[in-house]
Amino acid sequence: MKLFPLFADLNQRLVLVVGGGAVAARKAQALLEAGAFVRVGAPELNAELSAMVRDGKVAHLAGRFHDGWLDDAWLVVAATDDAQVNAQVAAAAGARRILANVVDDPALSSFQVPSIVDRSPLIVAISSSGVAPVLARRLRERIESMFDHALGPLAELAARYRTRIRERLPDLGARRRFYDRLLDGPVAALLRQARPEQAAQALETALAQPQQTPAGSVVLVGAGPGDPGLLTLKALRALNEADVILYDRLVGDGILSLARRDAERIDVGKRPGEDHAATQARIHALMVEQARHGRRVVRLKGGDAFIFGRGGEELQHLRAHGVPYEVVPGVTAALACAAHAGIPLTHRDHAQSLHLITAHCRDDAAAPDWAALAAGNQTLAFYMGVGQLEPLSRGLREHGRPADTPFALVENGSRPEQRVLTGRLEDLAELARAHAIHAPALLIVGSVAALANELHWFGEHIDGMAAATAG
Ligand code: SAH
C-alpha cells in the first residue's frame, strides 16, 4: 500500500490554501464544508475567493508565500499555477512536518485528496495512489450510481436508534439481519420519498417485531426501449437489489444482464395457447406470491409500465392484496424512437400536442376518434400498429388528414438494428410492405415526421418521400 487512507477531522482546525484561482477556490470550499478554518494565501484573489473573504468565510494572506503562513496550520494545499511556489510550499511544510497536497503533483504531495462519493455520514473515498486519476473518476461514477441519496439519512436514522437496536437485539447475527432489512425494506423506501417521520415509525414497527420475516414488495420498473443506456439510475438500483425479476419478452438481454447475478429471472411473457387475460392473471398471482415470501420483486416491463403496459392493472391487483409497491418510470417507445430517428415530436413550427395511441384496441372498446386524430397541428404516435397500417392510413385520410401528411415508421427503435422509413401517409402500407417492416415498430404521423429526413443520425434511414418524388 503506497498511501495510507485516513479521514481527517478538520472541524475548527486551520488549513492553509496557497493560490488565488479557481482551483484554490474549489479546495477552500470543500475544506469549509468540513468545518475547517481556511486561510487563503495569494497576491490576488479571483472573484469567488474575494467574495468568500468579504463574507468572512476565509481569511486572506496577501503577497508571496513565506514560511510564516504555515503557523498553526494542520494541513496545507498548494494550488498555484507556479511550479516554483508549489515546490517551495511543499518544502516548507515538510520542514515543519505539516502534511501538504500539491494539486496534480503526487511527487510533491505528502497527502492526496481522494475522489469521493458523499452520502454523509457515509463517505466513500477512492484513490489510485496518484497514478490513474481517470480510473478513480470512473470508479467514483460507478459507485455514485449504485447508491441513492436515501443512504445518508438511513445511516443517520440507524445511528439514532443504535442503542435501542442493540438492547432489543443483543445477538450480533440477529442485529445484522435487522440492519439488512432496514436497507432493503420500507424504512429506506420512505426515506427515498423524503418522509423521515414515517420512516422512523416504520423502524419502530420493525423493532417491535424484529424476528418477523420482512414484508416483500414489488417495484414496477420501466426498462425503456431496449438500449441498457436508457435505463434510469433507479431502475438499475432496483435490478441490483432484486431477489426475483419478472420480465416481459420486449426487455432485452443487455438489460437483464445488469441485474444482480443471483436474482431469479422469470420470463412471464405470453405462452403459446394462452390468451392475454390468462397471461395477466398468471403474472398477478406470481407477483403476490413472490412478495408474500418476503422477496423483493422487480416487475420489469418494456418502455414505461404505464404506457400501454398494463402497469395500472398490476398495481390495482397489488393494492387489493396489500402488497407494497414502488414505480420507476421508463423511456417510452415514442420518446426513444423519436430521439433516435431525429424527430422533435412537438417542434413549435409543426405541432402543439402529442398523442400516444394504441392501434390495438380492446375488443369491447369504441373505434378510434378519427375526427380528433385527423385534426392538424398535432403529432400522433401509434403503438402496436404494424398489422394495422392500411386501416390507419385510410381512417386518417377519410377524416381529413391530407394524403401527403408525412409519416415515419421506426422499427427496433434505439437498438443497433434500428430502421426508419419515412413517406407520405397515402403510401404508408405499400412502403412498409416493400421494405418488410416488422414489429416492434412505432408509427409517427404528422409534419414533424419529415424532419427525420434532415435530422436522422442513428441506424438505417430510408427516405420514402424522396423515392416517391423521384419515381
Ligand atoms: N410500455 C411500452 C409499450 C408496450 S406496447 C412503452 O412504453 O414503450 C408495445 C409496442 O411498443 C410495440 O408494438 C411498438 O409499437 C412499441 N415499441 C416498443 N419498443 C419499441 C422499439 N424499440 N422500437 C419501436 N417500437 C417499439
Side-chain angles (χ1 to χ4, degrees):
M1 190 155 63
K2 188 168 167 248
L3 297 176
F4 181 78
L6 63 87
F7 286 88
D9 182 356
L10 294 180
N11 193 38
Q12 313 225 354
R13 301 207 158 110
L14 185 72
V15 179
L16 172 68
V17 176
V18 183
V23 180
R26 190 153 41 85
K27 297 289 169 185
Q29 188 57 45
L31 289 162
L32 286 176
E33 279 165 27
F37 291 137
V38 180
R39 210 183 252 168
V40 180
E44 276 162 41
L45 302 181
N46 75 358
E48 196 182 343
L49 283 168
S50 302
M52 286 159 86
V53 172
R54 211 179 320 114
D55 298 344
K57 290 185 183 159
V58 305
H60 182 204
L61 302 170
R64 271 190 76 83
F65 172 77
H66 64 86
D67 191 73
W69 284 9
L70 288 165
D71 288 350
D72 302 324
W74 290 69
L75 286 180
V76 55
V77 177
T80 79
D81 51 11
D82 183 331
Q84 216 179 334
V85 173
N86 286 346
Q88 204 187 334
V89 174
R96 293 195 181 205
R97 308 292 184 263
I98 295 172
L99 289 177
N101 172 258
V102 178
V103 174
D104 289 335
D105 195 336
L108 278 183
S109 299
S110 51
F111 81 91
Q112 291 178 18
V113 182
S115 303
I116 62 161
V117 177
D118 188 359
R119 298 288 183 274
S120 283
L122 281 171
I123 300 172
V124 183
I126 302 151
S127 163
S128 67
S129 308
V131 298
V134 178
L135 280 184
R137 211 149 47 225
R138 281 282 172 90
L139 197 57
R140 194 198 72 82
E141 278 166 22
R142 290 285 288 277
I143 297 173
E144 187 74 61
S145 68
M146 280 161 65
F147 301 103
D148 64 47
H149 287 266
L151 203 58
L154 187 67
E156 259 157 16
L157 188 65
R160 243 169 55 210
Y161 278 80
R162 195 162 152 199
T163 318
R164 282 189 54 202
I165 293 172
R166 191 185 304 220
E167 279 164 9
R168 189 85 174 86
L169 298 160
D171 175 61
L172 180 64
R175 209 153 62 227
R176 285 219 177 114
R177 282 193 294 282
F178 184 79
Y179 278 116
D180 267 338
R181 275 177 56 184
L182 281 192
L183 278 172
D184 300 327
V187 176
L190 286 162
L191 287 173
R192 278 197 288 274
Q193 297 173 37
R195 292 162 70 186
E197 275 136 48
Q198 284 93 331
Q201 255 164 36
L203 199 153
E204 291 280 357
T205 311
L207 208 50
Q209 300 169 308
Q211 310 294 356
Q212 210 179 49
T213 9
S217 60
V218 175
V219 192
L220 185 60
V221 175
D227 173 356
L230 292 172
L231 279 175
T232 62
L233 287 180
K234 276 194 168 185
L236 188 60
R237 288 181 192 130
L239 287 172
N240 271 315
E241 289 162 10
D243 294 315
V244 54
I245 299 166
L246 312 183
Y247 67 94
D248 286 342
R249 225 152 278 164
L250 213 53
V251 174
D253 292 342
I255 286 169
L256 281 173
S257 69
L258 294 175
R260 213 178 86 190
R261 240 166 256 296
D262 50 353
E264 187 183 351
R265 293 155 165 80
I266 305 178
D267 175 355
V268 294
K270 198 166 168 300
R271 291 177 186 162
E274 194 180 51
D275 66 14
H276 280 297
T279 309
Q280 206 52 46
R282 181 163 52 79
I283 295 171
H284 288 173
L286 196 57
M287 285 193 303
V288 171
E289 181 197 317
Q290 292 284 344
R292 289 224 166 121
H293 281 104
R295 306 182 84 189
R296 285 160 301 176
V297 182
V298 164
R299 172 71 179 109
L300 191 60
K301 288 168 161 292
D304 181 86
F306 284 174
I307 305 292
F308 309 125
R310 297 187 186 229
E313 286 143 87
E314 294 181 7
L315 289 197
Q316 283 166 334
H317 190 82
L318 293 173
R319 168 115 333 187
H321 288 77
V323 175
Y325 55 76
E326 292 179 59
V327 184
V328 178
V331 179
T332 190
L335 303 188
C337 289
H340 288 82
I343 300 174
L345 288 167
T346 62
H347 191 298
R348 50 191 287 184
D349 295 341
H350 300 269
Q352 282 178 323
S353 66
L354 164 68
H355 293 226
L356 306 184
I357 308 146
T358 170
H360 180 97
C361 291
R362 277 171 70 144
D363 300 336
D364 53 353
D369 182 354
W370 289 114
L373 295 183
N377 228 348
Q378 55 179 345
T379 303
L380 312 178
F382 288 96
Y383 290 66
M384 295 175 278
V386 192
Q388 318 278 331
L389 296 177
E390 183 59 53
L392 279 178
S393 155
R394 191 168 4 97
L396 290 172
R397 280 178 291 135
E398 280 173 6
H399 289 82
R401 271 272 175 160
D404 63 355
T405 303
F407 78 81
L409 198 49
V410 185
E411 180 189 58
N412 285 313
S414 87
R415 302 182 188 161
E417 58 275 25
Q418 168 176 305
R419 288 197 299 164
V420 178
L421 169 68
T422 59
R424 297 146 27 107
L425 193 54
E426 63 175 346
D427 304 326
L428 170 60
E430 176 70 43
L431 279 169
R433 209 166 18 242
H435 293 279
I437 302 286
H438 293 294
L442 185 102
L443 172 66
I444 297 173
V445 177
S447 67
V448 292
L451 293 173
N453 296 330
E454 182 190 324
L455 300 177
H456 68 89
W457 59 276
F458 181 86
E460 187 184 343
H461 182 80
I462 309 165
D463 184 349
M465 288 181 187
T469 320

